[in-house]
Amino acid sequence: MNAKSTPTSSTQADPATDAPARESQNDSNAMWGGRFSQAPDSLMEAINVSIGFDKRLYAQDIVGSIAHCKMLVDQKILDADAGDQIISGLGKIREEIEQGKFEFKNSLEDIHLNIEGRLTEIIGADAGRLHTARSRNDQVATDFKLWVRDTIDAVDDALKALQFALIEQAEKNAATVMPGFTHLQAAQPVTTGHHLLAYVEMLGRDRGRFRDARARLNESPLGSAALAGTSFPINREQTAKALGFDRPTANSLDAVSDRDFALEFLSAAAITALHLSRLGEEIVIWCSAQFSFAKLSDAFTTGSSIMPQKRNPDAAELVRGKSGRIIGSLIGLITVMKGLPLAYSKDMQEDKEPVFDAAESLGVCIAAMTGMIGDIEFNIDRLRVAAGEGFTTATDLADWLVRVLNLPFRNAHHITGELVGIAEKSGRSLDELTLEEMQTVEGQITEDVFSVLGVAESVASRTSYGGTAPDNVMAQVKSARERFL
């Protein structure tokens, strides 16, 4: 709805829009009862309405209402015939929504009143009995928890699929040598499989955070009513069990004002997005002409409108970019919640859009990254050459001096630095120096030193637990499949 610059009361509607205005007033008054004599001002409706986004909660709202209805019947609070009509009507509404036949009305504000309003049209006045012993406050908290729980399950499945793709590539590249970086400077040779498995571990922690969030949210607010509970003899354990919750919430004030579950979801989503962004950045670097470490197919790249030679890694860049959007959603909701007294305040209507947006963005990013990891082709020859650039086996030389010559590491570090200086001045690598040149710096060095100066030998020697040696990578691939898949 577009608000005009000068507020206009809905009771002074333009003749051309008079019928919708009367409908809005009638709908609003029917839902709100006798407290209000006028429909809301058009600007009030514009700021108050949430049906445009919270209609996503329709399935959870209907499931929660059915559980509530059955409990009311079992507790003799609601007549069984009325309960049957309500449940039948809710089933019809679900069909209408899923078939695209349901008319969502801004005048009814949100998904709860839209469903109740349609239920009244279908079965009549008994629809109003459904709201006995509950409030929109506990209703929305329940719906939102159910939605977040369902979304966490979907995210977990998606992250598992991404881990599978990474593990498959790690196995294929268990012995593929590449440069490992610190400060984006060549540091030591590693295997590509080892590098990819680092992201498998990150995603494993992400899945753990989502599981933790799911476990904490799995308490049912339903039955807390507006904030103080209800005088009706309800059975909260029954509705909690029916909806798959572990238990009912212990405090009604906390239950209707809690949005920790949304914040935890966004926090886990933000950290996951950060990990995806880091991997996206690496793919951008790897696929650049200057690095040429890897290549993506046309399925995940685009061209330039002016430069025909370009192949842009747009999918990776968008994963990187959307991370800011997801992190922003977390900051936004934290800011909304930080100053709210107990219990419910209308500010909390602002909880859903950031969660919905972050969930959608995260889902797209995980799917895109899974596709890219399956699609990417590594330039094994270029990786091998790059692995030896920048004197990456210098640490292996220092370790050899300690292990074989029994020198203190600080002495070995100094000797290695001198040898790197000699190689750098002459434009050679360490393994291209002669034994005689090395002995001018340290006379005890023998021919055996050359056994550690090749990149393949370097990675093969890194056999400590968690190290980059190809045999380690294969063992970790097996372990990762057992732990995560």
Side-chain angles (χ1 to χ4, degrees), residues 382-434:
R382 170 63 188 137
L383 286 169
R384 184 184 300 111
V385 171
E389 294 173 346
F391 309 104
T392 57
T393 59
T395 305
D396 297 276
L397 173 55
D399 288 346
W400 183 91
L401 292 170
V402 171
R403 186 172 60 253
V404 176
L405 302 186
N406 200 30
L407 298 178
F409 183 79
R410 285 302 166 204
N411 291 8
H413 188 284
H414 181 78
I415 292 167
T416 301
E418 286 193 51
L419 292 173
V420 167
I422 293 171
E424 189 174 34
K425 287 178 183 177
S426 61
R428 289 175 292 168
S429 61
L430 284 172
D431 61 352
E432 290 176 328
L433 294 178
T434 66

Side-chain angles (χ1 to χ4, degrees), residues 326-476:
I326 296 168
I327 293 166
S329 293
L330 170 62
I331 300 302
L333 185 54
I334 286 174
T335 306
V336 167
M337 295 299 299
K338 71 177 180 63
L340 299 186
L342 296 179
Y344 182 86
S345 297
K346 194 67 171 182
D347 312 50
M348 291 165 66
Q349 183 169 289
E350 296 297 311
D351 58 358
K352 294 167 201 66
E353 286 184 283
V355 171
F356 293 159
D357 186 79
E360 184 174 344
S361 294
L362 183 63
V364 169
C365 288
I366 296 171
M369 187 57 72
T370 302
M372 282 187 283
I373 293 301
D375 179 81
I376 199 166
E377 293 183 13
F378 289 99
N379 185 343
I380 295 175
D381 292 338
R382 170 63 188 137
L383 286 169
R384 184 184 300 111
V385 171
E389 294 173 346
F391 309 104
T392 57
T393 59
T395 305
D396 297 276
L397 173 55
D399 288 346
W400 183 91
L401 292 170
V402 171
R403 186 172 60 253
V404 176
L405 302 186
N406 200 30
L407 298 178
F409 183 79
R410 285 302 166 204
N411 291 8
H413 188 284
H414 181 78
I415 292 167
T416 301
E418 286 193 51
L419 292 173
V420 167
I422 293 171
E424 189 174 34
K425 287 178 183 177
S426 61
R428 289 175 292 168
S429 61
L430 284 172
D431 61 352
E432 290 176 328
L433 294 178
T434 66
L435 178 59
E436 290 73 20
E437 286 174 307
M438 291 187 181
Q439 289 174 338
T440 62
V441 177
E442 171 51 61
Q444 300 181 73
I445 294 177
T446 68
E447 192 77 29
D448 180 63
V449 74
F450 292 99
S451 66
V452 301
L453 297 183
V455 292
E457 291 78 13
S458 172
V459 296
S461 71
R462 305 291 171 181
T463 56
S464 60
Y465 182 78
T468 191
D471 288 345
N472 280 26
V473 173
M474 292 304 295
Q476 287 303 315

Side-chain angles (χ1 to χ4, degrees), residues 1 3-4 6-10 40-47:
M1 180 177 181
K4 296 180 180 179
T6 302
T8 303
S9 170
S10 58
D41 185 271
S42 60
L43 285 176
M44 178 58 191
E45 182 176 293
I47 196 172

Side-chain angles (χ1 to χ4, degrees), residues 19 47 69 86 89 92 94-95 112 131 151 162 215 231 243 261 285 325 355 443-444 453 467:
I47 196 172
C69 180
I86 288 170
K92 179 177 174 58
R94 176 160 42 199
E95 289 179 6
H112 322 297
H131 210 53
T151 301
L162 176 52
S231 59
L243 295 172
F261 64 92
I285 292 171
R325 185 169 178 163
V355 171
Q444 300 181 73
L453 297 183

